[in-house]
Amino acid sequence: MSGPFILAFGIWMLLTADFSRTNALAGLVAAALVALLPKHRFSAWQLFRLILSVLIRVPMAIWESACIVFIPHPNERISTEKIQHPQNRWSIFCQSFIITFTPRSLVVSEDDDEIRIHSLEPGDPS
């Protein structure tokens, strides 16, 4: 219960941007209700791994943003990648989120056990 609770409370506080006691209490109640929902449970460890992987990829995202600004990326490519754990919705979310987090790639769709990725590549336009 702690993973969904922490995530829901964090999103509540970020979206409302109000750190008063009343809003924090309302956020705690809303987060508890969301955490009690039976679907899509995940642990605090899975949430920690996602946050850690985002923090590790922030420098890479900044580098890719600078590359897009200074180096032309006229080539587009659509590729497919296997989903690591197709039966686990949290795993699919994490994999899609990390791919989309980087500036030169975007998850377009998800089918059975593959995801389609649209990406920009440097080079001469063809």
Side-chain angles (χ1 to χ4, degrees), residues 19-71:
F19 299 102
S20 67
R21 287 183 185 154
T22 306
N23 189 53
L25 182 62
L28 288 172
V29 170
L33 291 174
V34 168
L36 293 175
L37 292 175
K39 286 185 163 185
H40 309 299
R41 290 187 176 252
F42 57 92
S43 67
W45 175 247
Q46 289 172 318
L47 181 63
F48 174 73
R49 286 183 50 206
L50 177 64
I51 292 171
L52 185 64
S53 63
V54 167
L55 291 176
I56 289 171
R57 285 174 173 79
V58 165
M60 184 172 69
I62 293 170
W63 172 254
E64 286 186 10
S65 298
C67 287
I68 288 174
V69 170
F70 296 113
I71 301 169

Side-chain angles (χ1 to χ4, degrees), residues 97-112:
F97 180 78
I98 293 300
I99 289 170
T100 305
F101 182 71
T102 56
R104 294 186 301 193
S105 59
L106 176 67
V107 173
V108 178
S109 67
E110 175 236 327
D111 301 319
D112 298 330

